[in-house]
Amino acid sequence: MNWLFGSALKTTMVTPERALPGRDAYAYHVPSTHTVLGTPIQGPWPEGTRTLVLGLGCFWGAERVFWQLPGVVSTAVGYQGGFTPYPTYEEVCTGLTGHAEVVLVAYDPTVISDADLLRAFWEAHDPTQGFRQGNDAGTQYRSTVYTTTPEQAAAAQETREAFQQRLSTAGFGEITTEIRSAEDAGRFYYAEDYHQQYLDKNPNGYCGLGGTGVSCPRPVDGVASA
């Protein structure tokens, strides 16, 4: 999406003292219902639902990857991992908020495991590209995994290592994905209404995702299970 904003080509992370100041509340309306799944995008969700926040480039195409998976209760796009409170899309695209474009995935771990959700993540993009994804360049397009449970953290590391072996064999470089807890990454901020389920509202809309064509193997049983 960087063709919308020339400043989105910034590929150096902003420091906290240089980040935009933001605001105390959303500057726009956040919708309540998923247009495809018909479920709440801000919760509450059924008991036992887990959430995982994933960044893999332009969040328009990234969100569709996950709402199509069995066991996914809801998805929403937003901003996380930066410094500016309640940022707008335009602000994130300047590179001066520090946030990544991400997808919040709420899912039933009895239907889809942490590891299988992460395998879909790894295979849907090229996690070796640093602050870009395909033609989209900027710190907001970096690859990220923000976990909410110890099991997710273990699965993220296990699947990363397994995928790195496959990527190296195929001639790709080192994975640059930022993996840390969602608590450490800071608050998840929902994106504007028109970004939510964008490719459902705009079936022929832009999707910048492009995987490596390399499959992510299943990890050792039990290590990255739900």
Side-chain angles (χ1 to χ4, degrees):
M1 292 185 289
N2 63 42
W3 46 269
L4 292 174
F5 298 95
S7 58
L9 296 176
K10 293 178 180 290
T11 54
T12 301
M13 277 293 292
V14 68
T15 57
E17 60 272 15
R18 292 187 61 246
L20 296 176
R23 53 197 55 81
D24 296 328
Y26 286 110
Y28 46 81
H29 168 70
V30 177
S32 59
T33 305
H34 199 287
T35 63
V36 178
L37 301 176
T39 52
I41 71 167
Q42 300 182 66
W45 300 296
E47 184 177 355
T49 299
R50 288 183 183 174
T51 59
L52 181 62
V53 179
L54 302 165
L56 50 159
C58 172
F59 55 18
W60 291 346
E63 185 183 17
R64 183 173 60 182
V65 170
F66 301 107
W67 82 52
Q68 295 177 334
L69 296 177
V72 169
V73 175
S74 190
T75 61
V77 297
Y79 317 113
Q80 193 169 3
F83 310 108
T84 300
Y86 295 98
T88 66
Y89 176 66
E90 290 78 7
E91 289 171 342
V92 171
C93 284
T94 67
L96 295 176
T97 72
H99 292 294
E101 291 191 14
V102 293
V103 182
L104 172 68
V105 184
Y107 63 101
D108 182 346
T110 68
V111 178
I112 184 168
S113 69
D114 300 334
D116 282 341
L117 186 62
L118 284 157
R119 289 177 65 245
F121 161 78
W122 294 118
E123 293 176 357
H125 74 304
D126 182 350
T128 71
Q129 294 190 338
F131 293 144
R132 61 184 291 266
Q133 195 61 215
N135 292 326
D136 292 325
T139 57
Q140 73 270 30
Y141 298 115
R142 66 190 185 271
S143 177
T144 66
V145 177
Y146 298 146
T147 63
T148 58
T149 70
E151 293 83 5
Q152 289 175 351
Q157 294 297 340
E158 181 74 10
T159 55
R160 179 197 181 283
E161 292 171 7
F163 195 43
Q164 181 66 72
Q165 291 181 10
R166 289 281 181 88
L167 288 173
S168 297
T169 299
F172 288 88
E174 292 296 311
I175 288 174
T176 61
T177 303
E178 173 190 344
I179 301 176
R180 56 176 168 157
S181 71
E183 181 179 7
D184 182 56
R187 178 171 175 169
F188 171 88
Y189 295 100
Y190 286 88
E192 294 85 340
D193 191 349
Y194 73 96
H195 291 302
Q196 306 296 339
Q197 296 86 62
Y198 181 86
L199 290 183
D200 175 54
K201 300 169 183 174
N202 304 274
N204 297 318
Y206 172 78
C207 174
L209 282 188
T212 60
V214 177
S215 63
C216 181
R218 292 182 178 277
V220 177
D221 290 345
V223 175
S225 65

